[in-house]
Amino acid sequence: ACKLETMKMDQEWRLQYNLDAITQTDSTLKAGWYEVTIGEKQLATEKTLYKHGGNGKYPGWIEGEHPAETEGIVERTVFFTTTDTNNKGASTKIYIRNCGTKYIYYIRPFSNNYFYAIADNLCQKGSYEEVDQDNRLYSNPSELNNPWNNDNRFFVTYTSWYRFMNGNGRLAEYPKIKSNWRGGFQYPYQFEDGSHAKVPNAGDISEELIMEHYRSPGTELRGASDRYIGWTWKMTIKNCGAYFVYKIPPLSGSYTRSGVVVDDDDDSVCEDDRYTETNDKMRLVSSVATGTGTSDAYLAEGWYRLTAGLGYMPTSTFIGTQCSTKYHGHLQYSHPTQEEGIVENNVRFMSTSVSIASNRRTWVKTCDGFFLYRLRESPSADYRYCEATPGCKNARELESMWRVNSRKLMTGRYESSVFGNDGWVYFTQGLKRIPESPPPRSVGGCTYNGYIDSHPKEGEGAVPRIMRFPGVDKEQLIEVENCGDKYVYFLTKSIANDYCYVADTDVCSEDVYREVDDVRRLHYSHKYGTGFTRFDLDNKFNGWIRYTIGEGRMMEEPPAITNMCTTDYQGWIDGVHPKDNEGVVQRKVCWKYNGNDCDSALIPLL
């Protein structure tokens, strides 16, 4: 048989992994001996793929190994793959002879739509489908309901071999995926840990491997909600040396919002070609303009770098007109460290009211010297993602004389009418900074004046602070920046009536405190008359005072005798005065009345 003249089988459409549409079949093939002269130069022995070439033709493959040269002519069965789950839908017999340098086959024609497939090199370009979908990358999380949001829309018809061309060129494996929405899938699939290590050498091919997919936080045990295997999907890996290819069958149509994710590194999004820069100054928090370009309703999903202002989204939420729009977006949580990688966050959109108008899930990456945000279209028109404004460069003066926490100037001023536009400001009065301890009530133009716990150091940038108001539960979120020569504050006019922003003062300065030298206040000054029993109430003391009589200080112990100091109730400090370097401290004042326990109030002392 080896000396016979054979017919040549050299049609490329027969190649086992050919991806072109096939119209030919072997229903009219001439019976006889054939020599295969292309591909691996032998007929296929691996179970071939359903709907070869995507045109509904059924490829045939030989069951069993090819014979040794000493075995002579042997009979083998050829099975034809007729469905994606049936590799033995039909069969016929052929004969094979090993001639040492070649195989020859005695083949007969078979039914329409069937053909004999030729073995091919799977790692050869053209033998696999190339997949280059950025949406599938691990570093591109998304919750949009895109066409790729379900892989039963992509891997839908027949099994094929695939090579993934972007990212790290391989599919993710546990524990890479530990959250939803990676690669744009709510339930992302990944291989079990160590799957690629099972094919360490070029040419190695794995058995079918069951995939895991993430549903929600679990116990890290295989089969748990973070390594769920109930939605069965099995794949095969082949090592082609420089890359891997994967045999992927269709995904069940009932497995929604799921798909395989291409592995890559979080830091890859920091490369110039992975993000878009936006230098839109109307996006700045300080922008109160209105008109065109004030909506992100048509923003294409992707990674964005903000470059018009400070380069980051503010984490403080304000009310009022900002970012040239009605509903302005700020991050709910702080920015991650560079080592934390891509971290999920939330954008809150607020308007002129204190309520949250809408939320939008997002992801944030801290790169070397800048931040990136995974953004999509805003919830509706008049919604924008905001960028923090350089406070030191854009702050305006608050120069009003009444904005000092030591001046009793009850003028009924309301920030809604006198503050102006929301934005960065700095004080020019007093110590030119907001107090760090509760100021007295009813000074500085309003009943309630704000204070914060501390100021940032120079170089820290804009940081959030909570402004509190003494005697009430109200709080206001602000931002503060240390500019070296001054502090600047991002404040809003949309604060309740009778609440104000005031500057702190040096209370030891003579132009701040009030001297009190009335001898009727001395400890042993006896009560006389009835016109002075409402002395402190009638005089409406508000602000800092200094005693210039007696020992020059308020008493630190209860009076020995009642009805002294020209009044019914004598006040003293429950404690001691602060030391020179302690600054402003709070002490409780007690009021003596017929030996009863004191009624108390807090006052600041310096």
Side-chain angles (χ1 to χ4, degrees), residues 11-187:
Q11 300 87 4
E12 291 190 359
W13 56 266
R14 293 183 181 277
L15 291 172
Q16 184 176 6
Y17 304 110
N18 172 50
L19 300 177
D20 297 328
I22 298 171
T23 58
Q24 299 92 332
T25 69
D26 283 335
S27 60
T28 59
L29 181 72
K30 182 179 179 180
W33 287 97
Y34 285 84
E35 176 186 353
V36 179
T37 59
I38 61 172
E40 297 293 294
K41 297 184 179 180
Q42 64 182 50
L43 292 183
T45 55
E46 181 185 343
K47 297 176 182 179
T48 53
L49 304 176
Y50 173 54
K51 291 192 174 180
H52 188 82
N55 205 37
K57 308 303 179 185
Y58 307 133
W61 53 279
I62 300 170
E63 184 177 51
E65 301 294 329
H66 280 67
E69 186 176 359
T70 57
E71 292 184 62
I73 297 174
V74 299
E75 185 182 68
R76 290 287 189 266
T77 300
V78 171
F79 287 99
F80 294 89
T81 302
T82 55
T83 70
D84 201 60
T85 57
N86 189 358
N87 297 114
K88 296 184 178 182
S91 66
T92 188
K93 299 292 186 180
I94 67 169
Y95 297 94
I96 309 175
R97 177 70 167 95
N98 184 336
C99 296
T101 59
K102 63 182 179 181
Y103 295 105
I104 59 175
Y105 306 85
Y106 188 85
I107 302 174
R108 302 180 181 90
F110 200 66
S111 301
N112 193 28
N113 290 335
Y114 295 78
F115 68 95
Y116 300 99
I118 294 175
D120 195 12
N121 178 10
L122 176 56
C123 294
Q124 177 179 292
K125 186 176 178 63
S127 297
Y128 48 78
E129 295 189 44
E130 294 183 352
V131 180
D132 190 2
Q133 299 168 322
D134 285 343
N135 56 273
R136 197 179 287 280
L137 289 173
Y138 169 82
S139 62
N140 281 344
S142 171
E143 62 173 342
L144 283 176
N145 188 21
N146 292 309
W148 60 79
N149 192 253
N150 297 323
D151 257 350
N152 54 28
R153 302 174 185 175
F154 186 76
F155 303 106
V156 63
T157 305
Y158 54 89
T159 301
S160 187
W161 286 91
Y162 297 88
R163 177 185 175 188
F164 294 89
M165 306 303 294
N166 55 355
N168 293 334
R170 54 189 283 173
L171 295 181
E173 66 176 49
Y174 185 84
K176 184 73 173 185
I177 299 173
K178 292 186 175 181
S179 62
N180 302 105
W181 305 112
R182 289 294 185 167
F185 304 105
Q186 184 174 0
Y187 307 124

Side-chain angles (χ1 to χ4, degrees), residues 278 280-285 296 306 323 384-387:
T278 170
D280 186 355
K281 295 187 182 301
M282 297 182 74
R283 194 179 293 282
L284 294 175
V285 171
D296 281 328
L306 309 177
C323 314
R384 295 210 88 193
Y385 300 103
C386 293
E387 180 179 0

Side-chain angles (χ1 to χ4, degrees), residues 380-396:
S380 184
D382 296 327
Y383 286 73
R384 295 210 88 193
Y385 300 103
C386 293
E387 180 179 0
T389 303
C392 298
K393 180 180 178 181
N394 294 279
R396 59 183 174 85

Side-chain angles (χ1 to χ4, degrees), residues 144-349:
L144 283 176
N145 188 21
N146 292 309
W148 60 79
N149 192 253
N150 297 323
D151 257 350
N152 54 28
R153 302 174 185 175
F154 186 76
F155 303 106
V156 63
T157 305
Y158 54 89
T159 301
S160 187
W161 286 91
Y162 297 88
R163 177 185 175 188
F164 294 89
M165 306 303 294
N166 55 355
N168 293 334
R170 54 189 283 173
L171 295 181
E173 66 176 49
Y174 185 84
K176 184 73 173 185
I177 299 173
K178 292 186 175 181
S179 62
N180 302 105
W181 305 112
R182 289 294 185 167
F185 304 105
Q186 184 174 0
Y187 307 124
Y189 275 94
Q190 61 185 331
F191 279 101
E192 181 184 11
D193 47 326
S195 293
H196 289 84
K198 294 178 180 179
V199 286
N201 304 310
D204 289 350
I205 187 167
S206 73
E207 59 185 7
E208 276 192 324
L209 303 172
I210 190 168
M211 302 293 289
E212 304 175 347
H213 82 277
Y214 185 96
R215 299 180 67 85
S216 62
T219 61
E220 300 185 0
L221 297 176
R222 194 151 195 255
S225 57
D226 57 340
R227 305 185 66 181
Y228 188 69
I229 55 177
W231 285 6
T232 305
W233 201 10
K234 296 181 179 180
M235 299 183 189
T236 304
I237 308 175
K238 182 175 177 63
N239 186 336
C240 290
Y243 56 91
F244 296 96
V245 293
Y246 303 87
K247 185 180 180 181
I248 303 178
L251 178 63
S252 170
S254 62
Y255 300 166
T256 59
R257 295 169 290 173
S258 302
V260 290
V261 177
V262 176
D263 184 42
D264 74 334
D265 303 316
D266 284 0
D267 287 338
S268 66
V269 301
C270 299
E271 299 171 3
D272 292 346
D273 60 347
R274 289 293 306 277
Y275 61 83
T276 301
E277 291 190 9
T278 170
N279 189 31
D280 186 355
K281 295 187 182 301
M282 297 182 74
R283 194 179 293 282
L284 294 175
V285 171
S286 58
S287 176
V288 295
T290 58
T292 59
T294 58
S295 172
D296 281 328
Y298 302 100
L299 188 71
E301 185 179 39
W303 285 101
Y304 287 87
R305 177 181 178 183
L306 309 177
T307 58
L310 292 177
Y312 61 86
M313 292 180 66
T315 54
S316 301
T317 54
F318 304 97
I319 52 180
T321 302
Q322 300 172 27
C323 314
S324 307
T325 194
K326 182 177 180 181
Y327 301 102
H328 37 82
H330 303 72
L331 283 185
Q332 180 177 1
Y333 308 111
S334 60
H335 289 73
T337 64
Q338 192 168 350
E339 293 73 23
E340 287 179 295
I342 297 171
V343 177
E344 184 178 322
N345 209 311
N346 183 52
V347 175
R348 287 181 167 180
F349 294 90

Side-chain angles (χ1 to χ4, degrees), residues 19 29 186 289 365 403 457 506 516:
L19 300 177
L29 181 72
Q186 184 174 0
K365 175 69 176 81
R403 291 190 181 276
K457 298 178 180 178
D506 179 5
V516 176

Side-chain angles (χ1 to χ4, degrees), residues 462-500:
V463 298
R465 289 290 187 268
I466 296 176
M467 177 175 284
R468 296 178 173 87
F469 300 85
V472 292
D473 293 333
K474 183 176 179 58
E475 294 182 347
Q476 181 87 359
L477 192 60
I478 69 170
E479 284 194 345
V480 187
E481 185 171 359
N482 186 336
C483 302
D485 61 336
K486 62 179 180 289
Y487 293 103
V488 296
Y489 308 87
F490 194 95
L491 305 176
T492 175
K493 65 181 179 182
S494 300
I495 189 173
N497 289 340
D498 221 12
Y499 288 76
C500 287

